[in-house]
Amino acid sequence: MLYLAEGTKKMSYWLVRGGRALNGTVSVQGSKNAALPILAATLLIKEPIRLLNCPMIRDVQNMLRILKTLGCTVVEERGALTVDSCTADSFVLPTALSGELRSSIFLLGSVLSRFGDADAPYPGGCEIGNRPIDLHLKGLKRLGAEVEERGGRIRCRGAITGGVVDLDYPSVGATENIMLAACRAKGQTTVRNAACEPEIVDLERFLCACGFRVRGAGTPTVVIDGVPEGHGTAFRIMPDRIAAGTYLIAGAITGGDVTVTDLDPETVDTLLFKLAECGAEVTRKADAVRVRAKALRGVGFTETRPYPGFPTDLQPQLFTLLSVSEGTSVLVENVFENRFKHAQELKKMGAENRILDRTAIITGVRKLHGACVTAHDLRGGAAMVLAGLFAEGDTKVLHAERIERGYESMDSVIGLLGGSVTRKEESIGEEEEKRG
Ligand code: EPZ
């Protein structure tokens, strides 16, 4: 929010113009959920790391700010990033920045490994759930860390030794945190019931490029043989499969023809099957996917699951697609307990749905109309942009800065495909703002 004269503020939003089919070819940004743990891993290596294809998004910018407060140097060039942690001299994560970036908790493992000590604020819950970190802390304790939780902060201390960590749930973040803590540990670490997401495979690729010994990522058992030090490297971050899936759904929902390149179709496999089930024409190439829309029909049942199941990060976007697909669809969100806030926003545009705890019953409608809606969270906001692209008339998406946490220049990408998303600001009086 920018303040103007007393009593007035500027409110930023995105204006989405509906009714245009999206057509064309775009390459997709680097993966947010691969970049964040890889940036955390730079603290393990006391030499420069050069990262290519790192997405310039708010979450990455916040992670870079945190690394700088820990004493790292960061050089940003066009499309490339160099991080050098040889000057890192602090193990205390800043409260404000770490609060804003939940995934800063990934730093626990690498800061603890680097300094034998780590002091982090307890990451709050967020719009989609409580986001506990019990599995992270249990894993680090298993590897010998002393963990103390006091006054809203977590303190981890001690030398990390190898061991076997059985995760009660295949948590992505906990798997990554333990992998990072184990790289320089004395001895071998085995993570069982590990998460299998492609971003974890990318993290393993990065760690091996730095000379660490990690294997098994992408399977439920990851093994790390500790070595004293890693070395610098240059590494290209994998494409963002969630951003890619979002743009493919945009092509399907607007009746268009969209190709996303620089993408491994395998990483969006469940989405491609779902789009075909909805009646879209899906063409897979070696490193690209093309989606051509036909008449969309709803699909009986979908549920989100850890990889290789249907990704929770594409659930809101699929929800929007099913809202305008013929028939009734059932969508179950198994991963997060509060990830249906977009349902209410879609209803403001004429969608029909009922939420029963973690289950959404969606009745497809033929039309949506433009409205003023809110992006309650990153992927829910993306879902509202998709609804606006389909709707008749214009849609205002408030708090679009939440979308910018994970999507690099979404407005430009949609513009390249013939759609229209423009950033707007308008002054609002305090009264209006209080009405929200
Ligand atoms: C990562 O979050 C992703 N974020 C999320 O993407 C993604 O939705 C999620 O994995 C699942 O794929 C990043 O990689 C930065 P989890 P993470 O630990 O690691 C429970 C996006 O939109 N849990 O696999 O936090 C937790 O409450 C974001 O890009 C515990 O109970 O996910 C949740 O119900 C959103 N205890 C479930 O596990 C723990 O210690 C999945 O969480 C940790 C997690």
Side-chain angles (χ1 to χ4, degrees), residues 32-33 131-135 171-173 313 335-336 339 379:
K32 166 176 92 77
N33 292 348
R131 313 295 292 275
I133 58 167
D134 55 310
L135 300 175
S171 155
V172 171
D313 293 347
V335 177
F336 289 105
R339 199 169 200 174
R379 308 300 177 182

Side-chain angles (χ1 to χ4, degrees), residues 151-216:
R153 291 190 73 87
I154 303 153
R155 187 73 181 269
C156 294
R157 279 180 274 205
I160 296 289
T161 52
V164 177
V165 178
D166 280 296
L167 288 176
D168 301 326
Y169 176 91
S171 155
V172 171
T175 302
E176 291 166 341
N177 231 335
I178 294 157
M179 284 167 70
L180 297 183
C183 277
R184 298 170 69 242
K186 286 186 179 43
Q188 184 180 81
T189 298
T190 302
V191 187
R192 289 203 192 114
N193 196 28
C196 301
E197 272 66 7
E199 291 76 19
I200 297 178
V201 177
D202 218 37
L203 177 62
E204 176 182 277
R205 283 195 202 107
F206 170 75
L207 292 171
C208 291
C210 294
F212 293 115
R213 296 173 57 198
V214 185
R215 60 188 188 279

Side-chain angles (χ1 to χ4, degrees), residues 227-310:
V227 296
E229 292 298 342
H231 55 71
T233 191
F235 184 80
R236 180 179 176 80
I237 288 170
M238 68 176 274
D240 192 312
R241 62 191 171 104
I242 304 302
T246 304
Y247 298 126
L248 290 170
I249 293 174
I253 199 170
T254 57
D257 179 350
V258 168
T259 297
V260 175
T261 60
D262 189 16
L263 169 70
D264 173 359
E266 180 67 26
T267 62
V268 284
D269 197 47
T270 50
L271 172 68
L272 301 186
F273 278 110
K274 202 50 71 176
L275 288 174
E277 221 182 324
C278 288
E281 191 180 324
V282 178
T283 310
R284 295 166 187 241
K285 299 175 183 160
D287 66 347
V289 175
R290 180 180 182 185
V291 168
R292 269 169 284 186
K294 307 290 176 203
L296 292 171
R297 54 179 184 270
V299 290
F301 182 80
T302 306
E303 62 176 340
T304 65
R305 287 275 178 214
Y307 196 87
F310 190 88

Side-chain angles (χ1 to χ4, degrees), residues 1-307:
M1 289 285 188
L2 300 174
Y3 286 81
L4 283 182
E6 189 56 36
T8 62
K9 285 182 187 171
K10 273 193 175 298
M11 174 185 67
S12 64
Y13 60 88
W14 283 5
L15 189 70
V16 183
R17 182 133 303 160
R20 299 183 188 180
L22 296 193
N23 295 294
T25 298
V26 287
S27 67
V28 73
Q29 71 184 59
S31 166
K32 166 176 92 77
N33 292 348
L36 291 172
I38 286 171
L39 285 169
T42 58
L43 275 162
L44 297 173
I45 300 109
K46 297 169 188 163
E47 295 178 0
I49 298 283
R50 185 169 166 74
L51 295 176
L52 303 172
N53 202 35
C54 191
M56 281 301 120
I57 52 179
R58 286 162 59 99
D59 276 8
V60 165
Q61 294 298 346
N62 278 334
M63 178 64 94
L64 294 176
R65 284 193 197 99
I66 294 172
L67 290 174
K68 286 178 195 167
T69 59
L70 298 180
C72 301
T73 55
V74 173
V75 176
E76 293 181 50
E77 308 148 73
R78 179 134 186 72
L81 195 62
T82 302
V83 179
D84 189 349
S85 79
C86 75
T87 49
D89 55 6
S90 166
F91 60 82
V92 180
L93 296 185
T95 304
L97 276 173
S98 309
E100 185 173 339
L101 179 64
R102 274 203 76 266
S103 38
S104 54
I105 199 68
F106 295 167
L107 281 160
L108 261 190
S110 51
V111 171
L112 175 62
S113 167
R114 177 66 181 267
F115 298 107
D117 204 338
D119 182 330
Y122 213 96
C126 67
E127 309 80 8
I128 61 176
N130 290 330
R131 313 295 292 275
I133 58 167
D134 55 310
L135 300 175
H136 297 242
L137 301 182
K138 196 171 156 189
L140 294 176
K141 279 180 196 164
R142 185 75 191 76
L143 299 185
E146 264 175 59
V147 177
E148 190 188 354
E149 299 171 60
R150 192 168 50 181
R153 291 190 73 87
I154 303 153
R155 187 73 181 269
C156 294
R157 279 180 274 205
I160 296 289
T161 52
V164 177
V165 178
D166 280 296
L167 288 176
D168 301 326
Y169 176 91
S171 155
V172 171
T175 302
E176 291 166 341
N177 231 335
I178 294 157
M179 284 167 70
L180 297 183
C183 277
R184 298 170 69 242
K186 286 186 179 43
Q188 184 180 81
T189 298
T190 302
V191 187
R192 289 203 192 114
N193 196 28
C196 301
E197 272 66 7
E199 291 76 19
I200 297 178
V201 177
D202 218 37
L203 177 62
E204 176 182 277
R205 283 195 202 107
F206 170 75
L207 292 171
C208 291
C210 294
F212 293 115
R213 296 173 57 198
V214 185
R215 60 188 188 279
T219 77
T221 304
V222 180
V223 178
I224 305 103
D225 290 303
V227 296
E229 292 298 342
H231 55 71
T233 191
F235 184 80
R236 180 179 176 80
I237 288 170
M238 68 176 274
D240 192 312
R241 62 191 171 104
I242 304 302
T246 304
Y247 298 126
L248 290 170
I249 293 174
I253 199 170
T254 57
D257 179 350
V258 168
T259 297
V260 175
T261 60
D262 189 16
L263 169 70
D264 173 359
E266 180 67 26
T267 62
V268 284
D269 197 47
T270 50
L271 172 68
L272 301 186
F273 278 110
K274 202 50 71 176
L275 288 174
E277 221 182 324
C278 288
E281 191 180 324
V282 178
T283 310
R284 295 166 187 241
K285 299 175 183 160
D287 66 347
V289 175
R290 180 180 182 185
V291 168
R292 269 169 284 186
K294 307 290 176 203
L296 292 171
R297 54 179 184 270
V299 290
F301 182 80
T302 306
E303 62 176 340
T304 65
R305 287 275 178 214
Y307 196 87

